[in-house]
Amino acid sequence: MSWLRRVSCQMSAWQENRVQWKADRDAFDADRQEVLATGKLPEELGPPPSGFALLPWLLMGMGAFSNLFQGDTPNPWIGGIGLLLFNSLYIHVVFRAFTKEAREARSTRGALIALGAVTCLLGGLYGGSWLLFFPLLGLAAGAVVRGRWLGRTGIGLSALAGVVAGLRDGWGAVNVAYGTFLSTMVTAAILSLSDAVRELRAAREELAHRAVEKERLRFSRDLHDLLGHTLSVIVVKSEAARRIAHRDLDAALVQVSDIESVGRQALTEIREAVTGYREGSLAADLDRARSALLAAGIEPVVRQSGPPLSARAEALLGWVVREAVTNAVRHSGAGRCEISVDGASAERVRVCVSDDGTGGFVVRDTDTDTGPGVGGTGLKGLTERVAAAGGLLEAGPGVRGGFVVTAELPVEAGPSGGRAYEYGGGAVVAGRAVPRAPKSQGRPRSPRP
């Protein structure tokens, strides 16, 4: 009963292929009608190939069937059984040729060898129109065999067809051998090209999917960095305004004005982040970081040296400053925070944010556990950003306590000129000292040269 089960499964598979083929034909007809109506070519130029595309070639065996039906074939029982075996094996092979796993299975190769044996037997016994089964054998072989074995298979089948046909038909064997070689190579070439087109289309869809995922990741990082830093600044300044409102109304109003300014700037940056055109200004990020630290009661010391940087480098370094300062305000409990941007090297620019607090944290990526511990959603996102630009970001406890975030990026040429300045603790700007603004004056202004 096992053979009946196999036959039933094979019939079910053929029925499914037939239903799919009809659906593909209907879709092709609909696309053709759309082309006629609009003149625009569709993405799919036709139904994908299947075993049904190779079935009409069985009409090449009508001459042998006619001889058998008219009684012109000796030993008709052998011819009839051979004809039935050939058609069954041919259909079995060509329907399995369009699935890679089935095409490379041993059973398919065995069925192809059996098809070759039946073809040689029928051609050698009867000759004439029975020799046309060799080109059909070439079609089946071309559908199954791919790669480096294709040429050897095509030449071998052609030589075999030439020898068998030569014994039965003399010089007519040249046509049989040529037809066998041509059918083998052309079928393999067409199906290989079809497979390549499908693979390219699948690769294009995968690239489009990855582009969408990359854009979602970019937007999520931008949104986290923008809102995380901005909301932290707003909360800190709101607390500062609440604390000093009953003592110094003017200072409280300055903090409220800063909250309004930060909120408006955040709205602008979010709009620009959504459209993907945001270009960060490192000077603005340093100024906002200094203001946030002062509002939180942390003494800021900001140093920057080296020539102007490219817009991309400034944006990345601005993200690092934002995230590090936000963590310092939220978690460090520090009294002093130093931010240094060193672009003196001809190859790399370095930013370092360190504090003297005790609230720093280290979260290590336990999945990979490689490199220095960098944790939190913001720091992990920054690590990926900096790595994508060819840089390196490290975060962890400092040698003398506190928490240190360091990022290095390759240097890219900026507009022109150089600058060096320092905020806090006595700044040096253009060779002269500038006193540090006291904390009680709200948001200090940037020193002027």
Side-chain angles (χ1 to χ4, degrees), residues 222-302:
D222 286 358
L223 195 61
H224 171 273
D225 294 341
L226 286 170
L227 293 183
H229 174 78
T230 302
L231 293 178
S232 297
V233 173
I234 291 175
V235 169
V236 170
K237 286 186 173 291
S238 299
E239 292 176 349
R242 177 177 55 81
R243 289 196 305 266
I244 65 176
H246 64 282
R247 299 195 313 266
D248 190 344
L249 183 59
D250 292 336
L253 290 177
V254 170
Q255 297 295 335
V256 173
S257 177
D258 287 346
I259 293 173
E260 180 183 1
S261 176
V262 170
R264 292 182 184 276
Q265 181 65 25
L267 287 175
T268 302
E269 290 177 347
I270 289 175
R271 294 190 188 102
E272 293 173 348
V274 169
T275 56
Y277 293 111
R278 184 179 188 275
E279 293 185 358
S281 171
L282 182 57
D285 286 326
L286 291 174
D287 187 57
R288 284 195 293 266
R290 177 174 175 269
S291 177
L293 290 170
L294 285 173
I298 301 175
E299 179 185 359
V301 177
V302 183

Side-chain angles (χ1 to χ4, degrees), residues 150-221:
L150 177 60
R152 303 175 186 178
T153 303
I155 294 175
L157 287 180
S158 301
L160 179 63
V163 170
V164 175
L167 295 176
R168 297 291 306 182
D169 202 20
W171 286 103
V174 175
N175 295 329
V176 176
Y178 177 72
T180 302
F181 179 79
L182 193 65
S183 62
T184 303
M185 303 307 292
V186 170
T187 302
I190 293 175
L191 295 183
S192 298
L193 181 61
S194 176
D195 290 342
V197 170
R198 289 200 299 272
E199 292 175 359
L200 288 175
R201 184 176 290 116
R204 183 181 64 181
E205 293 176 355
E206 178 66 20
L207 289 176
H209 177 72
R210 291 186 179 182
V212 171
E213 293 296 329
K214 184 177 180 180
E215 181 63 17
R216 287 177 178 173
L217 181 60
R218 181 201 69 82
F219 179 71
S220 65
R221 289 172 180 168

